[in-house]
Amino acid sequence: MIKLLALLPLVLALAAGAPSTPSAPRIVVLGTAQDGGLPQTGCDCAHCSAARRNPALVRHVASLAIYLPKTDHVYLIDATPDLPAQIEKIHTFRHHPEGKTDRAPVDGVLLTHAHIGHYLGLAHFGFESLNTKGIPTWVSPRMAEFLRTNGPWSQLVRLGNITLREIQPGQPFELEDGLTVKAFPVPHRDEYTDTLAFVVRGPHKTLLYVPDTDSWKAWPRPLTEVLAAEKVDLALLDATFYSPDELPDRDVSKIKHPLVTDTMDLLEPLVKAGKLRVGFTHLNHSNPALDRDGAARKAIEARGFRVVEEGDELDL
Ligand SMILES: [Zn+2]
Ligand SMILES: [Zn+2]
Ligand SMILES: [Zn+2]
């Protein structure tokens, strides 16, 4: 049964105040966890064991759907190990064939990089499962080379389950109907591929999505400059770790991700001035901001920021 997006249970406070235009493209959040998900395999920490006991606390791995109601098309940002559940979620708002397999569950995929949380889900498009036909897959040239030359991904390319489309960083391209995407590289542990961030520009709003990055200090161009140059309204940002206290047995200088507290220090003036809305995503299982009633979550909300939740929607 097709359900209207408007019936999705959670409407993002980030979008509050934006006119809700039923025909406008929108982002639907499909997951908010770091690559290992929540609960993480084999982990019995307080967050993981609580999520194992209570399914409402489970978080799928960070991913977004871009939905265009006019054409009923969906583009996925990142294909996570939780892709089967995330396709189920897409089926709650997008038409799909009833009584048979949906071999085109998305109209395209954009990938940030080759860490497990961001591309392993492509495997479900292969011969052993959905056996899709030519799903456009936008990637950096280095990621394209990695997928073409390493199994099992090379089989997806060879059998035509996916069609690689190389993104030129900094060059915007149109997904459809005036909705454009611009990718640019961000510093990150680039063992297999480089890592992209995406600017998604709709008719009303512009989103910056950076699920995984090294500290903002490592960016060649300051984040605040990028936000201004791209006229970003909404930023969904890497919140892998909240603060140094979170990992008492680790050397903080070795944590390359920007800490949530540092991100808030950097962006609070823009948020307070009403120039930018920020949502946090890609939370590690250790992150105290996972606790919906905890002090970290309260501190985030008190400063005008938000932790995004699965099912949240953002008008573009
Ligand atoms: Zn990641
Ligand atoms: Zn855990
Ligand atoms: Zn990564």
Side-chain angles (χ1 to χ4, degrees), residues 1-5 8 28 65-69 71-76 86-98 102-108 130 135 176:
M1 190 174 74
I2 305 166
K3 289 179 193 161
L4 293 177
L5 263 176
L8 282 170
V28 183
I66 305 170
Y67 180 59
L68 292 99
T71 54
D72 199 33
H73 285 172
V74 169
Y75 298 87
L76 194 62
Q86 289 166 328
I87 297 297
E88 300 287 327
K89 184 76 182 178
I90 289 170
H91 278 177
T92 64
F93 57 84
R94 183 194 190 229
H95 175 79
H96 58 282
E98 290 184 34
D102 180 6
R103 297 204 188 277
V106 294
D107 299 282
L130 270 182
I135 291 189
E176 61 176 72

Side-chain angles (χ1 to χ4, degrees), residues 265-277:
D265 291 343
L266 179 67
L267 300 180
E268 192 168 18
L270 291 172
V271 169
K272 285 266 155 74
K275 291 182 176 160
L276 178 71
R277 285 174 285 162

Side-chain angles (χ1 to χ4, degrees), residues 35 113 115 118 188-189 212 282:
D35 300 44
H113 66 302
H115 283 160
H118 303 265
H188 188 45
R189 296 179 294 108
D212 233 341
H282 196 273

Side-chain angles (χ1 to χ4, degrees), residues 139-150 154 164 166 192-193:
V139 293
S140 74
R142 196 172 152 200
M143 181 91 182
E145 182 64 12
F146 172 79
L147 294 172
R148 263 195 299 265
T149 54
N150 289 282
S154 51
L164 294 177
E166 293 189 20
Y192 296 113
T193 67

Side-chain angles (χ1 to χ4, degrees), residues 34-35 112-118 188-191 195 211-213 238 257 282:
Q34 180 268 359
D35 300 44
T112 56
H113 66 302
H115 283 160
I116 65 164
H118 303 265
H188 188 45
R189 296 179 294 108
D190 293 338
E191 299 94 335
T195 301
D212 233 341
T213 180
D238 180 341
H257 294 272
H282 196 273

Side-chain angles (χ1 to χ4, degrees), residues 43 45 48 285:
C43 182
C45 77
C48 290
H285 63 129

